[in-house]
Amino acid sequence: MFGPLISKPGSSKSNKTGSWRVEIRPRFLQKNCIACKMCLLICPEGCIEGDAKNTYHCDFTYCKGCGNCAAICPKADIEMVKEETKE
Amino acid sequence: MFGPLISKPGSSKSNKTGSWRVEIRPRFLQKNCIACKMCLLICPEGCIEGDAKNTYHCDFTYCKGCGNCAAICPKADIEMVKEETKE
Amino acid sequence: MKEIRIHARAGQGAITTASLLGYIYFLKGMYPYAVPHFGAARMGAPMNAFVRVDSKPIRLRSQIYEPDYVLIVDATLMRGFNCFSGLKDNGIAIINQREGVEIPKVNARQKVFLVPANDIALKTIGRPLGNTALLGAFAAATGEYELEFLVEAIKKRFPAGLQDPNIKAATQGYEFVKNSTKG
Amino acid sequence: MKEIRIHARAGQGAITTASLLGYIYFLKGMYPYAVPHFGAARMGAPMNAFVRVDSKPIRLRSQIYEPDYVLIVDATLMRGFNCFSGLKDNGIAIINQREGVEIPKVNARQKVFLVPANDIALKTIGRPLGNTALLGAFAAATGEYELEFLVEAIKKRFPAGLQDPNIKAATQGYEFVKNSTKG
Amino acid sequence: MKEFLEGSMAVAKAVQLCKPGVVSAYPITPQTHIVEELAQMVADGHLKAEFVNVESEHSAASVVLGAAATGVRTYTATSSQGLFLMAEVVFNIAGLRLPMLMTCANRAVSAPINIWNDQQDSVSLRDSGWIQLYVEDLQETVDFHLMGYRLSEDKSMMLPVMICMDGFILTHGIETIDMPEQALVDKFLPSYKALYKLDPANPITMGPLVDADYYMETRYAIDQTQKEALALIPKITAEFSKVFGRAYNGLVEGYRIDDAERVIVAMGSVCGTIKETIDELRKKGKKVGLLKITCYRPFPAQQIYEALKNIPKVAVVDRALSLGSYAPLAAEIKAAFFGKKKKPSVISSFIVGLGGRDITKDSIKEVFRLLTTTEKNEYIDLKPELLKESYE
Amino acid sequence: MKEFLEGSMAVAKAVQLCKPGVVSAYPITPQTHIVEELAQMVADGHLKAEFVNVESEHSAASVVLGAAATGVRTYTATSSQGLFLMAEVVFNIAGLRLPMLMTCANRAVSAPINIWNDQQDSVSLRDSGWIQLYVEDLQETVDFHLMGYRLSEDKSMMLPVMICMDGFILTHGIETIDMPEQALVDKFLPSYKALYKLDPANPITMGPLVDADYYMETRYAIDQTQKEALALIPKITAEFSKVFGRAYNGLVEGYRIDDAERVIVAMGSVCGTIKETIDELRKKGKKVGLLKITCYRPFPAQQIYEALKNIPKVAVVDRALSLGSYAPLAAEIKAAFFGKKKKPSVISSFIVGLGGRDITKDSIKEVFRLLTTTEKNEYIDLKPELLKESYE
Amino acid sequence: MNKQLFNPGHTACAGCGQSLAARLVLEASGPNTVIINNTGCLEVFSTKYPESAWAVPWIHSLFENAAAVASGVEAGLKSLGTKDTINVIAQAGDGGTADIGLQALSGMLERGHDVLFVCYDNEAYMNTGVQRSGLTPFDSNTTTSPTGIQSCGNLRPKKPVPEIANAHGIPYVATASVGFPQDLSRKVKKALSIKGPKYLQVHVPCPLGWRHDPGLTFQIGKLAVETGLYPLFEYENGRLSAVRQIQPKPVEEYLKAQGRFKHLLSKPEEVKKIQAVADANIERYNLKVQATS
Amino acid sequence: MNKQLFNPGHTACAGCGQSLAARLVLEASGPNTVIINNTGCLEVFSTKYPESAWAVPWIHSLFENAAAVASGVEAGLKSLGTKDTINVIAQAGDGGTADIGLQALSGMLERGHDVLFVCYDNEAYMNTGVQRSGLTPFDSNTTTSPTGIQSCGNLRPKKPVPEIANAHGIPYVATASVGFPQDLSRKVKKALSIKGPKYLQVHVPCPLGWRHDPGLTFQIGKLAVETGLYPLFEYENGRLSAVRQIQPKPVEEYLKAQGRFKHLLSKPEEVKKIQAVADANIERYNLKVQATS
Ligand SMILES: Cc1ncc(C[n+]2csc(CCOP(=O)(O)OP(=O)(O)O)c2C)c(N)n1
Ligand SMILES: Cc1ncc(C[n+]2csc(CCOP(=O)(O)OP(=O)(O)O)c2C)c(N)n1
Ligand code: SF4
Ligand code: SF4
Ligand code: SF4
Ligand code: SF4
Ligand code: SF4
Ligand code: SF4
Ligand SMILES: [Mg+2]
Ligand SMILES: [Mg+2]
């Protein structure tokens, strides 16, 4: 007989940590983006996507609003805004 | 209640390891000894005594006949002899 | 015996709130038992704490499933799951108000108090830590203790510099409810 | 059931002797159990080994206190303590002879065989390892097995180069006793 | 003086009152708050002790071992994996007859890893020679820490004592405690005098190799001394109540047991929940009671027999397993009645609250419900839907 | 084929026949000869396995854990202090449901340090979730190593198995053994197929954090699976005898027990000495017998009940202690009869042969002599002159 | 984002440097990787049953034995004949590396297993609430090295674990930081290209334990390097083969952003001591950019 | 011979290098010494109950924890206020030091305890019958690194424990040998004159395990140094402060006297490898006596 023992790969995605975001969230301006990928590299949640310039954005289902993407962006093309702000 | 737990300092001396000596034992010639103390230093049993020249000797109650004293003596003033040999 | 469940996110001081609330009861000469319900999650993750109190020492060590009162430190938690679950049907909920979070309907005999605790805290303490304001509101909403006990608790438990601001926050929380109820 | 106790110093091959003796019985189709009695002591310290043998598998696991035979690999051990302790009163002792060690008195029905095993070994094997010579003597002294079994055991257990020398040693040990007994 | 304190804080203050010379521990949930508070006391000069921040529990236990061998009072605390990692040292300390106190913040053991409360950790070290005392609430926690040192250092004992307190429920629970005063503690607990220690003035050899000629007696002596503790503990609790006015049996404690038809036997904080449930059921006229085991090692077989011999039905609640066999406490309780004329007609075994599974009044009621005339061996609050027969 | 082999050599050869992919162990008397022989086999290319020379037993157990997780058959061996040092890993392996075989060369535990035989080491890990099989002689030793792997790797089990053999007496004893042939072993023991393993093709997560919502079921499953082994073991022994012609019960074995009035219950090599003594006493008309426990975990309570229910007097011989309480085996044997109508009138407990204290026929006779109508709890062959009441 | 190897939904604090580093390490190693993880924040926040952030084979056994379990995994894969196609990575926090896991690590290095050991150095036992570890820096305020009337925080310097690993005579030892993400990825790839035991120590800021704004994780990592407090270097076969040169910044810049060092800002003499640590590193590893070239 | 600190009657093999070294260490330290001893030959042959060779306070706990127990002894003496008058010496064999005891040792060094740790390096687990340890030299024939059809003995080089200890940044690290008894005594005295953690590794030939004539213990110890296979050096505060210079002898001289290396004499290519080890040492520690001066 077996009880809880092993977990399925990547199953954490069912845990929507976006709800943890209470104060601020990033806004990807997609104006001066040079596609340096730094935001994508630095995101602790690994929830940023993008390929070409000005295509980078994050998945708010998981984004915890830490602000590192905004901090690292060489073009200040990401800004942190109040959670409530509408796009 | 207490059982066997601690031992008394130096009590190993009641164990006369001299009896382990079967083949050979050292003979301290006390002829050319220069009192360099090397034999005393090297004896694994710590059973060699002596102070002045030609006074060095070992305690056969413990000597295991290893031969290191003879090996180290710079003056070859210790020789290993058959256990049976009389002094 | 009264049972209180506190909802917050790890890092929002649910435990301090629970122990402060317990301490108030202690000052009243009652026998509180306050305990956090730890998950393994980190800052920002939902967690809760419990306070159980009675006139004799508390022996029951289980979690609280049917609280007399719930104290919701972070309203956004209500998006996630039901903070009201098991609330007694004459139960009272004190919620740290926040725009854009709608309040679930409650039955007739249940009471819900929305308190702008963080705003109060910002004004009084200078940081959005609404806990003392919420405990003030709790006093007014439930009548469990007089404001004096809360004030004394704050004096005993907070470093000198933080006492007056928190007492202010507590008082404003208390008055906010008092005013909202009368009339 | 026969019980044999082997006395030696750690490093003098008591265990090899015990296992070789056991192996001889094994070849005879009997059921030997050979086991060393380990102390924590080092090379040179007295130790012993046991062989217990029967026509059916041995189940008794205790040490041997009343041996039918004792085999003393190093006569100097007799200075230290009584290797004969518990020897059955029709028991037999085989001793690796050594000058300057006197043999304790034994009662009428007990037999003691002094065998110059080391000298034999020196002549045959080139090193003073009297074990095989002693087992030859053991065969003659006790009649427990024919020399052939010992020879076969040596062939099975020793590396090629060492077989003949050890067979020689065994045979000479055997003959030494045979001769000493007759007349 | 009455205070409203977290359990860990209370333990730290109790230890401070006992003035250990050396404190060493390694952090592990849910023991951490105890050690952190002691570290703060030392940092603030409120506790004059050497605080040794070690690299593992194995070394934490080894450090207190070494310090105790110099004749100093020592303290350590651990839990779960930490207790298992130091297991070899734990046995060794008892074998060396070194008195000391350890707090075990009871927690489940790995695998799977789980940081919540049950009692598998300390129960699995029941053979080790440590005296084990299980506490129900924070007042007991504080008081038995003081009594623990007394017991441990008694010239007839010289055995280590483990105070087992349920993780989170007690370590992180906050309640009202009457904290003893230093003067009284000093009166109750004189400073420690070792019978033998590492001292150049009398250079003894400790921890020698003891062979077959001597070993059995060393072990027998520990076994006997443990059993002698059954007589000493009540003496110490009596003296404690003289000084502090709080009375404990120290071995076992019955609750509404005299006329009871069904009795639960249990250890630790769950006893509180059981008492609460009993009062409720009593109101409904149910004749139920509790026998609380405070002293698990030594095992108070005689006292348990006396307490239960006339009880028709007994349910043993274990918070630990001996996988593949009887639950540890259940086995010994049953053993206590072998060959006895008077005995319960049923002793059932129930596994409750493993790995933090919440123990509610309903859990306890379920135990009582299942405590019928037929013997049971059941897990309470189990979720069958999580089980599968195979992985293929 | 019949051979005259030292126990350790025989174990090494048995393991070689089972073709493990990874072997890792750390030396400790009296286990060393086993590992040394395996090292030699690998050095000579007679065993195709990764031989990992680790720096401690904690790592030895961790290495086989890791290797087993990749789906490979593994082997390790230890004893005494080594088993205790790896205790945390031992529990962990069972919790992870990783099948493997370990030989425990039973030895006394420290303090005081003693390298000779008793069974305190493996007995103290009886809670761990490992199946424990105790062997009487070298033929059993070899055969149960083969059966151990079969049992461990059975799809319904996936639990580690510990073969417990008495140190020196069996590990260093030399006797006649019928060594199984490779072809038959391959028939009896197919190569190991894991149910789950570390494999990029199916990247599962092993050993996750399991909280209060799930933990209890994981533990329950191990407990149940252990009990299922009670049904599986006889199946495996039956199949074994089909292939190799040697029959074992695998759980318990009675010797001259049917008409016996006095029966000793025991585990391991002492059973041989007991049988020998029984035959002697039988000759004198004494109705004595033995119940040998082969399977200690899972605990075969039902089989023990059946075997002893009509025996008037039972003596349980323990080679280990639970300091301050009942001897471990005695407690469970007594528990097995609670609430049963049929049962012995007396079950007495005897501690025999700790730390290598020689167990003679006289020791066993003493046990029978003391097995009267009054229940006893005694140490056999104790030397009272070595005990003192105090150190002052 | 479907074929991610380290997935979102884990429960790390916002701005967790370790979660970020773990993802970068795994992405550099790729899908043919087996990870053996000691107990710690990473294990806890990434594998709370029934969820797992990992899409590669991953195992957790205990707090102290990842290096030994990894040795077994490596041996197992060898006996299966698949080792050469699979990267084996053992990983742990600073506590699981420098303290309780050091012996298992040392044994793994000594035996020469083909395993990369990654230490996520957040400079304390974070999973249990910020207790001191061997890698906690001097004067840092932790719960077991608290500041107090008689204490100014942690008494001991950082344990030189990279030097200790290098003293084992292994082929590759390096330090890295989330402040330099590409450099981190490069070092992982380089390490995995070398056969035998490798040690990589990554500096991972922890907003909770260091008490800094979650948004500063990256900058603080960078500052640690730029002040000389966390030198980035590589040893190959025992020889210092590369260092990241810096234009040293004063340590205050690094200290002032973190609550764990708050108590120092009023104590210039203590700050001096910490500056001395940085200066010693700069000297020892010759970190200062030379004017020439 | 009555006030001896390490007494005869112990049960070591004739010619045991460890028994000799232990006596020299203790005589250099004097009566105000507390010894903490790991399990091993020394513990076994010196303290078989009811006898003890020791006339100073001595304790044995386990095989792996002497350094941790010593940390506790030091802390205990501190709290009693007697530490400054007493030397605390933790001692162990090579296995108890480099392998199973390494973590306890590392922790003790890292915490800065005022303890001298002495490793008696007989290059295998002798107490249990000559199994390989981390300090067993390359190609040495032991029971767990046996020679065989596919093996030429131990696969790994000696674990560089003195370097590892030195990497901890402690005040004093040294190697010594029974081949140079006065040098050994001097290093013990010097170590004890320094406050803080000290590490001393003493090469102690073992007639049983190395299979050499008991009378050669001294010469073999000497040869190990003179061939460069066992360099004698001292580190003070991390800097190599002294080495014993030699006129290097060929390694054969050392190898041929020992059974554990017997199998090599027929394999010149293996002997070359071992000569290379010696040469590397000579180079690294610059052991060769310079013609000049
Ligand atoms: C043997 C043992 N001791 C203690 C613990 C408790 N414990 C789990 S993780 C941890 C600290 C981890 O610190 P670190 O390795 O630095 O990782 P971090 O959490 O900081 O990332 C501790 C003390 C344990 N699980 N096992
Ligand atoms: C935890 C544990 N594992 C293994 C042993 C067995 N053991 C005792 S001493 C020893 C070897 C000692 O070797 P070393 O430290 O080099 O000392 P030596 O005997 O060579 O002087 C071993 C393996 C033990 N006592 N405890
Ligand atoms: S705010 Fe933080 S979590 Fe959100 S996208 Fe930016 S880096 Fe990622
Ligand atoms: S960091 Fe800024 S510039 Fe670089 S990719 Fe992201 S958004 Fe574009
Ligand atoms: S022979 Fe050996 S034991 Fe005897 S005195 Fe000389 S050195 Fe000492
Ligand atoms: S070694 Fe020789 S010369 Fe020196 S003291 Fe001894 S006997 Fe005299
Ligand atoms: S505590 Fe620190 S390491 Fe742990 S999850 Fe939070 S930020 Fe990351
Ligand atoms: S085996 Fe070696 S170390 Fe041990 S006592 Fe004999 S010579 Fe000394
Ligand atoms: Mg950390
Ligand atoms: Mg050694």
Side-chain angles (χ1 to χ4, degrees), chain E residues 10-167:
Chain E
V11 169
K13 289 189 175 215
V15 170
Q16 179 186 32
L17 288 166
C18 297
K19 302 176 177 171
V22 173
V23 174
S24 184
Y26 191 77
I28 179 165
T29 307
Q31 152 264 38
T32 46
H33 290 187
I34 298 171
V35 185
E36 292 168 1
E37 181 60 19
L38 286 166
Q40 190 64 61
M41 290 171 174
V42 172
D44 289 333
H46 301 330
L47 170 60
K48 298 258 164 300
E50 297 292 320
F51 185 90
V52 187
N53 266 317
V54 283
E55 83 289 347
S56 77
E57 287 87 356
H58 194 286
S59 286
S62 300
V63 163
V64 286
L65 185 162
T70 66
V72 171
R73 181 174 290 156
T74 66
Y75 175 77
T76 188
T78 189
S79 176
S80 182
Q81 306 310 111
L83 189 63
F84 279 15
L85 183 59
M86 62 165 71
E88 191 192 6
V89 192
V90 169
F91 276 74
N92 196 248
I93 289 168
L96 290 169
R97 303 296 295 269
L98 293 172
M100 64 175 61
L101 198 76
M102 173 196 290
T103 308
C104 178
N106 285 116
R107 163 183 151 178
V109 303
S110 197
I113 184 171
N114 172 295
I115 62 172
W116 294 274
N117 168 245
D118 64 31
Q119 298 170 339
Q120 189 70 60
D121 47 6
S122 53
V123 166
S124 287
L125 288 187
R126 63 193 176 283
D127 298 351
S128 65
W130 284 59
I131 289 167
Q132 289 193 349
L133 305 173
Y134 289 74
V135 292
E136 175 186 341
D137 59 28
L138 294 185
Q139 190 64 60
E140 279 194 8
T141 304
V142 167
D143 294 346
F144 277 98
H145 273 74
L146 309 190
M147 289 186 271
Y149 272 115
R150 253 304 284 277
L151 179 61
S152 175
E153 297 170 0
D154 187 282
K155 299 272 163 291
S156 68
M157 287 289 119
M158 300 298 280
L159 282 176
V161 171
M162 190 184 298
I163 305 296
C164 306
M165 69 190 292
D166 288 314

Side-chain angles (χ1 to χ4, degrees), chain E residues 158-179:
Chain E
M158 300 298 280
L159 282 176
V161 171
M162 190 184 298
I163 305 296
C164 306
M165 69 190 292
D166 288 314
F168 289 120
I169 294 166
L170 293 182
T171 56
H172 290 54
I174 312 172
E175 63 187 23
T176 307
I177 307 166
D178 191 343
M179 285 305 292

Side-chain angles (χ1 to χ4, degrees), chain B residues 24-42:
Chain B
I24 53 174
R25 61 180 170 80
R27 172 188 280 156
F28 289 73
L29 304 178
Q30 306 194 341
K31 290 207 189 72
N32 312 322
C33 169
I34 55 169
C36 69
K37 278 189 168 331
M38 289 308 287
C39 53
L40 188 149
L41 267 182
I42 211 70

Side-chain angles (χ1 to χ4, degrees), chain F residues 21 50 52-55 58-59 62-63 65-67 69-70 72 88-89 92 198-200 203-209 211 214, chain G residues 32 34 47-50 52 55-62 64-65 68-69 72-73 75-76 78-80 86 103-104 107 111:
Chain F
E50 296 293 320
V52 187
N53 267 318
V54 283
E55 83 288 349
H58 194 286
S59 285
S62 300
V63 163
L65 185 161
T70 66
V72 171
E88 191 191 6
V89 193
N92 195 249
L198 297 169
D199 175 6
I204 57 168
T205 291
M206 298 174 80
L209 174 81
D211 73 9
Y214 301 96
Chain G
N32 286 335
V34 176
T47 68
K48 185 163 170 303
Y49 187 87
S52 172
V56 295
W58 183 98
I59 187 170
H60 160 260
S61 167
L62 300 169
E64 63 276 10
N65 66 350
V69 173
V73 168
K78 268 192 189 160
S79 101
L80 292 169
I86 298 173
Q103 184 162 298
R111 291 188 300 270

Side-chain angles (χ1 to χ4, degrees), chain C residues 161-182:
Chain C
L162 286 172
Q163 289 178 14
D164 293 353
N166 278 285
I167 292 170
K168 268 208 199 63
T171 318
Q172 293 185 22
Y174 181 84
E175 264 136 22
F176 179 88
V177 171
K178 273 270 170 281
N179 302 333
S180 66
T181 41
K182 72 160 85 91

Side-chain angles (χ1 to χ4, degrees), chain D:
Chain D
M1 184 169 75
K2 285 283 197 303
E3 298 189 314
I4 302 118
R5 191 173 62 212
I6 300 169
H7 293 268
R9 297 186 180 281
Q12 290 175 331
I15 300 171
T16 342
T17 311
S19 90
L20 196 63
L21 179 54
Y23 189 60
I24 295 165
Y25 283 115
F26 170 77
L27 292 173
K28 277 189 68 174
M30 300 184 72
Y31 290 91
Y33 170 64
V35 67
H37 179 222
F38 275 102
R42 297 289 182 271
M43 277 195 296
M47 59 87 64
N48 47 40
F50 307 113
V51 177
R52 181 177 282 128
V53 61
D54 203 346
S55 52
K56 53 183 179 11
I58 292 294
R59 299 176 301 184
L60 180 61
R61 301 298 184 176
S62 64
Q63 297 168 28
I64 290 173
Y65 300 92
E66 295 174 351
D68 298 274
Y69 312 117
V70 295
L71 214 159
I72 300 170
V73 178
D74 184 337
T76 65
L77 285 164
M78 294 187 293
R79 294 182 184 136
F81 57 89
N82 176 13
C83 301
F84 287 67
S85 85
L87 179 65
K88 291 225 172 63
D89 55 12
N90 61 351
I92 299 175
I94 293 88
I95 302 173
N96 189 346
Q97 184 167 28
R98 181 192 182 101
E99 65 195 46
V101 187
E102 73 286 346
I103 312 307
K105 293 177 194 29
V106 297
N107 70 38
R109 308 184 41 238
Q110 292 174 326
K111 290 210 209 74
V112 176
F113 294 89
L114 290 175
V115 184
N118 280 10
D119 307 352
I120 292 175
L122 271 170
K123 282 194 257 87
T124 51
I125 310 167
R127 296 172 57 214
L129 302 172
N131 313 60
T132 38
L134 284 173
L135 289 177
F138 185 91
T142 65
E144 280 287 309
Y145 49 82
E146 289 68 40
L147 191 56
E148 291 58 47
F149 287 105
L150 171 53
V151 170
E152 187 185 347
I154 291 171
K155 286 194 180 129
K156 288 245 171 57
R157 286 294 177 94
F158 284 65
L162 287 173
Q163 289 177 12
D164 293 352
N166 279 283
I167 291 170
K168 268 212 198 64
T171 318
Q172 293 184 22
Y174 180 84
E175 263 136 25
F176 179 87
V177 172
K178 274 267 171 280
N179 303 333
S180 66
T181 43
K182 71 163 85 91

